[in-house]
Amino acid sequence: MNAQPTIALIVPVFNEENNIAPFVAEVERVLSDYLSQMVIVFVDDGSFDNTAQKIIELQQDKPLINLLQLSRNFGKEAAVSAALDTVEAAAYVIIDVDLQHPLSTVAESIHIWQTEKINNIYGIRNEKHLSSIWFYRLFNKLSGRVKIPVNVSDFRLIDRKIVQILRTLPERNRFMKGLFAWSGLTSRGVPYVQAERKTGNTKFNYPKLWNFALDGIMGFSTLPLRVWSYFGGFVALLSFVYMLWIVAKTLIFDIDVPGYASLMSVILFLGGIQLVSIGILGEYLGRVSEEVKRRPVYVIDEIMGDIALNQQQNGCGVVIPQRSDNA
Ligand code: UDP
Ligand code: MG
């Protein structure tokens, strides 16, 4: 068993067979000072290429490598949750395998964690993605007290304390960036230059990102639900004033035939607004039904490697318990 305190690199992988070996080589090169107290935890998120085999091959002569095998593809956030729930360490570094997050920034974060005891150290991307900036601005407007820094990336180091808090959270919608911020512990950003993806393609397309954004906002704000009563009140007030005006016009002047066009546009406009608001109700209802089902967020099929495990299993997933050390 690894001596504490350990730094666990949590690496979710989905069809990344060509990125495993370069990633491990880069870890050994850049983080050589920390290797003695480090473990790499790959979470195979249901890959259907040779990702798992590549990891197991490397594991033969590199005992710092461990593998959590999920039973199918559950998505990146679930894969990260699986590792945070299962593995015991003093600090956890969550990082992509495609080397877009430079390992020198990991070294910098470990240094900050060791010297300044910051609980939550996150990467800040240099390049500006307009859509993501607007998303985090909107999120921060709607989310009340929970604030996420704009331009924050997926890469971060969190300590044991944050992980213990996360393990107590019962929700099924794991919008991790929001949950880290929710914990309220000390945090600090480290800027870095995002590299190009090593090989393979991004696993996130626009529909996936859209759903990610919806999960984030609906998980942390109910404003989209409440805004319709104010809008309705405002429209009712306007209609009342308009009604007074029509009554006055009819009494004072002669009866006049109101325009078909204006009537039509008001009906269509209000019909559209009503459909949107019902749609938003549906979005929340869907999420409520996900939560009440209490279905696990992930299923860990197998754990390979010599690694300290959380015995409590108080997380939000299922761990099929037998453990195969292939040492
Ligand atoms: N990933 C995963 N499960 C998924 C999709 C992605 O574990 O369903 C992993 C992927 O292998 C990579 C990381 O999440 O290590 C980031 O994915 P990607 O590079 O495709 O995202 P991008 O950098 O384009 O945002
Ligand atoms: Mg990437």
Side-chain angles (χ1 to χ4, degrees):
M1 197 117 321
N2 287 286
Q4 296 272 8
T6 321
I7 302 163
L9 293 190
I10 307 295
V11 197
V13 288
F14 178 50
N15 295 341
E16 303 276 10
E17 55 183 5
N18 294 324
N19 284 325
I20 305 293
F23 177 82
V24 174
E26 191 71 0
V27 168
E28 288 177 328
R29 191 175 71 80
V30 182
L31 299 176
S32 52
D33 289 351
Y34 300 107
L35 284 183
S36 60
Q37 45 172 334
M38 183 169 279
V39 291
I40 301 179
V41 181
F42 287 109
V43 187
D44 180 12
D45 187 15
S47 302
F48 40 79
D49 64 357
N50 288 319
T51 301
Q53 288 87 316
K54 292 268 166 166
I55 296 170
I56 294 168
E57 254 168 51
L58 279 180
Q59 202 179 29
Q60 302 304 327
D61 36 44
K62 297 182 200 296
L64 88 163
I65 297 180
N66 299 273
L67 171 64
L68 300 188
Q69 179 68 59
L70 301 192
S71 61
R72 64 167 167 84
N73 181 245
F74 283 88
K76 182 179 172 182
E77 310 270 299
V80 170
S81 289
L84 298 181
D85 285 348
T86 317
V87 174
E88 288 300 356
Y92 300 76
V93 175
I94 302 167
I95 186 167
D96 289 357
V97 75
D98 54 13
L99 294 175
Q100 286 191 293
H101 305 146
L103 287 159
S104 53
T105 316
V106 174
E108 193 185 336
S109 311
I110 295 175
H111 183 73
I112 296 176
W113 168 66
Q114 286 178 335
T115 52
E116 302 180 41
K117 306 276 175 263
I118 306 270
N119 304 107
N120 177 9
I121 302 163
Y122 51 84
I124 302 177
R125 249 182 325 218
N126 65 319
E127 64 182 299
K128 309 238 179 298
H129 270 294
L130 259 179
S131 51
S132 80
I133 291 181
W134 279 106
F135 166 67
Y136 290 112
R137 285 215 180 120
L138 180 69
F139 181 95
N140 289 337
K141 282 256 166 358
L142 297 181
S143 64
R145 293 184 190 85
V146 178
K147 302 286 180 229
I148 300 181
V150 168
N151 233 17
V152 65
S153 97
D154 277 352
F155 153 71
R156 70 180 62 223
L157 182 155
I158 53 177
D159 72 356
R160 233 187 120 63
K161 253 190 187 169
I162 296 213
V163 170
Q164 278 168 342
I165 295 172
L166 288 180
R167 286 177 185 166
T168 66
L169 298 182
E171 63 236 69
R172 268 42 192 166
N173 168 14
R174 310 300 282 185
F175 183 69
M176 300 302 275
K177 284 176 188 168
L179 298 180
F180 297 133
W182 176 90
S183 74
L185 299 182
T186 51
S187 62
R188 156 98 63 91
V190 282
Y192 73 95
V193 179
Q194 174 126 347
E196 285 293 311
R197 193 173 224 287
K198 261 299 225 215
T199 61
N201 294 321
T202 172
K203 312 290 181 300
F204 289 90
N205 47 21
Y206 279 106
K208 257 192 178 174
L209 287 174
W210 171 251
N211 285 331
F212 175 80
L214 278 188
D215 279 346
I217 287 181
M218 306 211 154
F220 283 84
S221 171
T222 52
L223 192 74
L225 275 178
R226 284 177 291 136
V227 72
W228 301 108
S229 21
Y230 298 105
F231 183 80
F234 178 69
V235 170
L237 192 76
L238 277 188
S239 320
F240 183 72
V241 174
Y242 186 57
M243 184 193 79
L244 289 183
W245 187 67
I246 290 179
V247 168
K249 217 167 75 163
T250 317
L251 291 180
I252 296 167
F253 307 105
D254 223 353
I255 298 165
D256 120 65
V257 183
Y260 165 78
S262 58
L263 203 62
M264 234 8 227
S265 50
V266 168
I267 289 175
L268 289 179
F269 174 71
L270 285 182
I273 294 285
Q274 279 169 359
L275 287 180
V276 169
S277 61
I278 292 172
I280 288 180
L281 268 180
E283 286 285 341
Y284 276 94
L285 194 64
R287 281 167 176 75
V288 170
S289 97
E290 287 289 309
E291 295 291 335
V292 295
K293 272 188 264 177
R294 285 262 153 278
R295 210 168 267 170
V297 176
Y298 54 82
V299 175
I300 299 178
D301 197 9
E302 221 174 331
I303 299 174
M304 291 185 227
D306 181 19
I307 196 173
L309 295 178
N310 168 22
Q311 301 302 332
Q312 313 263 289
Q313 294 202 4
N314 51 354
C316 53
V318 173
V319 183
I320 300 176
Q322 73 273 36
R323 176 188 161 142
S324 52
D325 294 308
N326 61 330

